[in-house]
Amino acid sequence: MTTTQLSLSFEAQRRIFSVSELNSAVQTLFERQFRAIFVEGEISGCRMAPSGHYYFSLKDAQSQIKCALFKGTARYVRFKPQDGLAVLVRGSLEVYEARGEYQFIVESIEPQGAGALQIAFEQLKRKLAAEGLFALERKRALPKLPVRIGMVTSPGGAVIRDMLHVIERRFRGLHIRLFPAQVQGEGSIEQVCRGIEWFSTGNWAEVVIIARGGGSLEDLWTFNEEAVARAIAASAVPTISAIGHETDFTIADFVADHRAPTPSAAAEIAVPTTDSVHERIASCRAKALQAMRYRLLSARGDLHRLGTDRASALVHRAVSKRAQRVDDLDMQLRALRQRIFVERRRRLADLTQRLQAADLRLRFAKIRQAQEAMDGRLFKAIESKLWQMRRRHETAQAHLTQLSPLTVLSRGYAIVERAAGQIIRSASDTAPDEKLRVRLGEGELGVRVEETHGG
């Protein structure tokens, strides 16, 4: 065989792949060999995209592989993936053709060591505690004797019967309303939340008991959900959480205003016994009577002290002050009367001396004559002044009439003003479409400028 023939045979055997064809071939290989496999490792570089998908790497001591947990699958995972968790994942290898990389598509994920439910429980507990939903200052006191009690629990089973029996035994005649809710399984979260919100917005219940019998962690999981916890925290009515047995703890227990170890204990906590109420009433009555007796004795002593000793001292002091005031006024009156008497005697002696020194009849005649002369001169001066003023007024009136704008306007002239009262003296002072006011000899006109010329 010649060299040319060998070259043609090699070209016939060689296959050339495009990049897409190669990726597709690798994907086919992955689908055959690596479908529904399990991988264990530690989560690293975990992040959640705005789409809700989780992306992270799964690593061991020597290597790592990229993983993707899509939103639809993550919805059913009990806990949130986070860095440092050792997990066992199930899924398939696929090629991400856009970058030519292969990645592991996670279909289920379970923690290694602690269970998924326990991890989810601890994660939510830390989150709500950081928000302050477990703080003691948020806890409200329960009413001493609630007359209207709301219950959110299953209408069947021993829980509701036990609570009703305890309440009936401890205090009869109370009003109880039950919001029937499924407490386990699909739809239980929504029903429990609706029950809590119904009592919160209904303004009827004084306290709400959220109850469920015992069970496994999975059975009680409805009361570890964030939606239920936030509904309890938002309740306008004090709440009692009674979930499971005494050793069972749920997120609802931490958020509620009070935790009861069992549903029957919740009924005992919410409702006092008739005897305890009677004892409390008797105790309050005894304390009230004792306080009243003490107040009466104290008031009697105060009244005696104020009515005798202090009253006498106050009256004596008031009388003494007023007597002193009377003495001061009397002394002032005497001094004033003496001064007036002395002054009047002095003035009388002076007038008597002056009267004797002058003949009053001659002085009166001279004064009368001078007064008559002054009256004549005054009348003449007033008459002359009035005549001069009248002449000046007439001259000024004639001059003012000649200068008055009204006189000018009566001859056919006009004054053009703006609305604010500014006078227009030139066409350049205004503009087209401007409103003006024209004052005539009789009346005014409102005009609008159409065009201006000159100015």
Side-chain angles (χ1 to χ4, degrees), residues 31 71 90 173 203 226 290 311-312 315 325 372 395-396 447:
E31 290 177 353
K71 179 179 179 181
R90 182 179 65 84
N203 197 25
E226 183 174 357
Q290 184 179 2
S312 178
V315 171
R325 180 61 176 163
E372 291 175 354
T395 303
V447 301

Side-chain angles (χ1 to χ4, degrees), residues 341-386:
F341 179 74
V342 172
E343 178 66 20
R344 294 289 176 84
R345 288 188 63 182
R346 187 190 62 77
R347 290 180 62 187
L348 180 60
D350 184 62
L351 290 175
T352 301
Q353 185 179 1
R354 290 172 61 188
L355 185 61
Q356 292 175 354
D359 189 353
L360 295 179
R361 289 176 295 181
L362 295 176
R363 294 188 63 186
F364 287 159
K366 290 181 180 180
I367 291 173
R368 185 180 297 111
Q369 185 178 3
Q371 183 180 1
E372 291 175 354
M374 290 177 63
D375 290 341
R377 290 196 299 272
L378 181 60
F379 289 148
K380 289 182 180 180
I382 291 174
E383 185 177 2
S384 175
K385 191 66 175 178
L386 288 174

Side-chain angles (χ1 to χ4, degrees), residues 61-79:
Q62 284 78 33
S63 60
Q64 62 181 1
I65 184 174
K66 292 183 178 181
C67 301
L69 175 62
F70 295 130
K71 179 179 179 181
T73 306
R75 185 183 298 114
Y76 300 101
V77 176
R78 293 290 189 181
F79 67 98

Side-chain angles (χ1 to χ4, degrees), residues 139 142 239-250 252-262 265-266 269:
K139 307 296 183 182
L142 301 178
T239 55
I240 300 176
S241 174
I243 310 302
H245 299 301
E246 187 171 359
T247 57
D248 296 323
F249 279 89
T250 64
D253 295 331
F254 295 107
V255 181
D257 295 299
H258 200 94
R259 176 194 178 256
T262 62
I269 293 171

Side-chain angles (χ1 to χ4, degrees), residues 42 47 59 74 132 144 162 179 192 205 267 281 308 312 350 377 380 385-386 403 414 425 441:
E42 180 182 322
R47 64 183 180 89
K59 67 178 184 178
K144 299 295 183 182
D162 291 344
F179 187 95
V192 171
I281 294 173
T308 56
S312 178
D350 184 62
R377 290 196 299 272
K380 289 182 180 180
K385 191 66 175 178
L386 288 174
L403 297 178
R425 293 182 172 84

Side-chain angles (χ1 to χ4, degrees), residues 139-172:
K139 307 296 183 182
R140 293 165 291 188
L142 301 178
K144 299 295 183 182
L145 179 58
V147 178
R148 299 180 300 275
I149 302 173
M151 294 183 180
V152 180
T153 187
S154 174
V159 170
I160 184 65
R161 291 197 302 271
D162 291 344
M163 289 194 295
L164 292 177
H165 176 71
V166 171
I167 293 174
E168 180 70 15
R169 174 171 49 83
R170 293 175 67 84
F171 204 102
R172 295 184 177 182

Side-chain angles (χ1 to χ4, degrees), residues 139-447:
K139 307 296 183 182
R140 293 165 291 188
L142 301 178
K144 299 295 183 182
L145 179 58
V147 178
R148 299 180 300 275
I149 302 173
M151 294 183 180
V152 180
T153 187
S154 174
V159 170
I160 184 65
R161 291 197 302 271
D162 291 344
M163 289 194 295
L164 292 177
H165 176 71
V166 171
I167 293 174
E168 180 70 15
R169 174 171 49 83
R170 293 175 67 84
F171 204 102
R172 295 184 177 182
L174 301 181
H175 299 281
I176 299 173
R177 286 185 182 176
L178 169 67
F179 187 95
Q182 186 177 342
V183 293
Q184 179 180 346
E186 185 178 357
S188 59
I189 300 171
E190 294 77 9
Q191 293 182 24
V192 171
C193 289
R194 281 200 300 270
I196 298 170
E197 294 169 0
W198 186 74
F199 284 119
S200 176
T201 58
N203 197 25
W204 179 86
E206 299 175 52
V207 64
V208 175
I209 301 175
I210 305 147
R212 189 207 187 282
S216 63
L217 182 60
E218 290 82 0
D219 295 336
L220 304 179
W221 190 253
T222 295
F223 302 94
N224 288 322
E225 290 288 347
E226 183 174 357
V228 174
R230 295 196 180 278
I232 295 174
S235 173
V237 183
T239 55
I240 300 176
S241 174
I243 310 302
H245 299 301
E246 187 171 359
T247 57
D248 296 323
F249 279 89
T250 64
I251 298 296
D253 295 331
F254 295 107
V255 181
D257 295 299
H258 200 94
R259 176 194 178 256
T262 62
S264 298
E268 294 178 354
I269 293 171
V271 179
T273 62
T274 306
D275 294 338
S276 66
V277 173
H278 290 164
E279 291 175 0
R280 189 183 305 168
I281 294 173
S283 176
C284 292
R285 180 182 299 168
K287 290 180 181 179
L289 290 174
Q290 184 179 2
M292 289 174 61
R293 291 192 186 99
Y294 175 78
R295 291 293 300 274
L296 287 174
L297 289 174
S298 178
R300 184 179 300 169
D302 294 342
L303 180 61
H304 183 269
R305 184 171 59 255
L306 294 174
T308 56
D309 300 339
R310 188 175 181 184
S312 178
L314 291 175
V315 171
H316 181 72
R317 189 180 304 169
V319 171
S320 299
K321 287 184 177 180
R322 282 164 175 74
Q324 183 179 2
R325 180 61 176 163
V326 170
D327 293 339
D328 291 340
L329 293 175
D330 183 69
M331 292 177 63
Q332 293 176 13
L333 182 60
R334 289 175 182 272
L336 179 60
R337 186 171 57 185
Q338 183 65 27
R339 287 197 302 271
I340 293 174
F341 179 74
V342 172
E343 178 66 20
R344 294 289 176 84
R345 288 188 63 182
R346 187 190 62 77
R347 290 180 62 187
L348 180 60
D350 184 62
L351 290 175
T352 301
Q353 185 179 1
R354 290 172 61 188
L355 185 61
Q356 292 175 354
D359 189 353
L360 295 179
R361 289 176 295 181
L362 295 176
R363 294 188 63 186
F364 287 159
K366 290 181 180 180
I367 291 173
R368 185 180 297 111
Q369 185 178 3
Q371 183 180 1
E372 291 175 354
M374 290 177 63
D375 290 341
R377 290 196 299 272
L378 181 60
F379 289 148
K380 289 182 180 180
I382 291 174
E383 185 177 2
S384 175
K385 191 66 175 178
L386 288 174
W387 185 81
Q388 292 177 6
M389 294 297 292
R390 185 179 296 110
R391 292 287 300 169
R392 290 177 61 187
H393 175 70
E394 292 174 353
T395 303
Q397 185 176 12
H399 186 63
L400 183 62
T401 301
Q402 293 177 357
L403 297 178
S404 174
L406 298 177
T407 303
V408 177
L409 295 178
S410 65
R411 294 200 296 268
Y413 293 90
I415 299 176
V416 182
E417 299 176 335
R418 286 193 174 94
Q422 299 173 337
I423 296 176
I424 304 299
R425 293 182 172 84
S426 172
S428 62
D429 292 341
T430 184
D433 291 330
E434 183 177 3
K435 292 183 179 180
L436 302 176
R437 184 174 61 183
V438 178
R439 296 182 59 182
L440 305 175
E442 293 183 3
E444 296 179 354
L445 298 176
V447 301

